[in-house]
Amino acid sequence: MIYLNGKFMPLEEACVPVLDRGFIFGDGVYEVIPAYSRKLFRLTSHLHRLQHSLDSIRLKNPYSNSQWHDLLKKIVAGNDNEDQYVYLHITRGVAKRDHAFPQNCEPTVFIMSNPLLAPSQDLLANGCSAITAIDNRWIRCDIKSISLLPNVLLRQMAVDANALETILIRDGFLTEGAASSIFVVKDNILLAAPKSHLMLPGITYDVVLELAAANHIPYEIREIFEEELQSADEIMLTSSTKEIMAVTRLNDNLVGNGKPGALCQQLQQLYHHYKTTTMRGDAPLS
Ligand code: PDD
């Protein structure tokens, strides 16, 4: 069951006019929210980031937070799996093609949900491969824009190289992955690039840093040189759908000893514990 412009329906019945500005210009924003045991994880943070994206493209939020809560809960209830990831998408709506904003245009709102599958045993035991590439995206990567052509091309580079992710470098510094946030471990210190207009403020990124702080894991938020990435003891990628994953090969070189590192495994366990206790309604991070 999906939601489109006020109605719930099967995905096959959902249609959007070809003049939708999402189709014509990629003029819209989106969110991806995980739900565990049918409870939406970090919903407030996702709705906060959605508001930032909407404000940045000067599009009025079509719903209040409580309306979003209701809609998203109905979508989760109307789909089969206990663990799901909800995709929501808002465009500036349907109008005659003209780059400038149309007058009196109703936004298009689309919500769907897919099963959220646990990572395979192989990925957990062995980690994944990544490649590096120049970050050739625009300079408003803090907006969760549906215009994802650069990210699409960058991630396809990884797939073509039999890797899972492309890690992006801008002016000699790490920014993020094509569809994930990236952490580096060097000399037992967890390193994260500072949030800026050059990266998406990841919700999982926040959770990882909160877990590090609460569990006395030393961390630094600072610019990370490409050389530090290349010589890292551990690399991790994080996202709402991949959670925390070890990157064990970078551009065909082993990262550390080529197996998921100790800090990555510790953070995976902490994340698992945190998400399970949050879903039970227990106090977070205690
Ligand atoms: N992408 N950076 C980019 C460019 C991303 O696309 C994503 C997530 C992240 C991680 O953000 P979060 O932890 O809030 O999921 C960072 C989603 C999952 C997607 O586009 O499907």
Side-chain angles (χ1 to χ4, degrees):
M1 187 184 74
I2 66 99
Y3 173 88
L4 180 64
N5 297 333
K7 294 197 188 85
F8 293 93
M9 62 186 89
L11 181 64
E12 299 68 39
E13 284 173 24
C15 280
V16 178
V18 287
L19 283 183
D20 192 282
R21 288 176 65 93
F23 185 58
I24 297 286
F25 293 118
D27 184 1
V29 297
Y30 76 106
E31 270 299 323
V32 175
I33 311 168
Y36 299 110
S37 307
R38 295 191 185 272
K39 290 204 184 110
L40 289 147
F41 184 66
R42 291 259 166 157
L43 180 55
T44 310
S45 310
H46 282 279
L47 291 178
H48 185 78
R49 185 172 67 185
L50 176 67
Q51 189 62 54
H52 170 76
S53 297
L54 287 167
D55 290 345
S56 303
I57 71 161
R58 295 163 59 191
L59 186 56
K60 189 172 171 290
N61 196 332
Y63 302 128
S64 67
N65 275 358
S66 75
Q67 285 172 316
W68 279 118
H69 279 239
D70 284 355
L71 286 174
L72 295 165
K73 278 183 195 154
K74 281 189 183 135
I75 285 292
V76 170
N79 282 281
D80 279 344
N81 289 64
E82 287 295 295
D83 293 350
Q84 305 174 21
Y85 67 93
V86 178
Y87 173 88
L88 76 84
H89 169 126
I90 307 164
T91 79
R92 210 178 300 276
V94 181
K96 184 173 175 295
R97 185 180 181 278
D98 179 5
H99 288 63
F101 297 169
Q103 300 289 316
N104 309 318
C105 195
E106 282 296 309
T108 300
V109 181
F110 169 55
I111 314 175
M112 66 174 169
S113 184
N114 283 293
L116 181 56
L117 305 173
S120 69
Q121 283 309 315
D122 175 51
L123 268 178
L124 283 177
N126 299 311
C128 69
S129 302
I131 59 168
T132 50
I134 299 292
D135 192 343
N136 58 6
R137 302 172 301 164
W138 69 336
I139 50 171
R140 285 306 308 274
C141 298
D142 56 311
I143 302 173
K144 205 158 169 62
S145 160
I146 62 167
S147 309
L148 284 172
L149 186 55
N151 304 63
V152 166
L153 295 173
L154 288 162
R155 201 162 105 72
Q156 186 59 35
M157 282 172 67
V159 172
D160 292 345
N162 274 327
L164 194 109
E165 182 60 304
T166 303
I167 300 181
L168 306 176
I169 308 292
R170 197 188 283 260
D171 298 331
F173 294 103
L174 164 70
T175 53
E176 60 178 342
S180 60
S181 309
I182 302 293
F183 291 85
V184 165
V185 179
K186 191 85 194 145
D187 301 326
N188 295 315
I189 299 174
L190 180 69
L191 302 178
K195 285 183 187 173
S196 76
H197 56 289
L198 300 179
M199 68 182 258
L200 187 79
I203 307 297
T204 325
Y205 166 107
D206 286 341
V207 176
V208 166
L209 290 178
E210 286 171 32
L211 289 171
N215 292 281
H216 314 291
I217 296 171
Y219 69 91
E220 285 174 21
I221 301 171
R222 62 160 173 84
E223 300 286 7
I224 300 167
F225 290 104
E226 182 177 4
E227 299 78 62
E228 291 179 295
L229 175 76
Q230 303 282 5
S231 64
D233 301 328
E234 295 183 41
I235 301 174
M236 286 166 235
L237 67 80
T238 70
S239 81
S240 295
T241 47
K242 301 220 160 50
E243 302 185 347
I244 302 172
M245 197 175 282
V247 176
T248 47
R249 289 167 303 276
L250 185 68
N251 299 330
D252 290 332
N253 298 316
L254 294 184
V255 179
N257 64 3
K259 289 279 174 198
L263 202 45
C264 179
Q265 292 183 43
Q266 186 186 356
L267 283 165
Q268 282 172 329
Q269 278 167 15
L270 289 168
Y271 189 88
H272 182 78
H273 178 257
Y274 171 56
K275 83 180 184 199
T276 346
T277 49
T278 316
M279 294 303 109
R280 284 205 311 258
D282 299 354
L285 296 175
S286 54

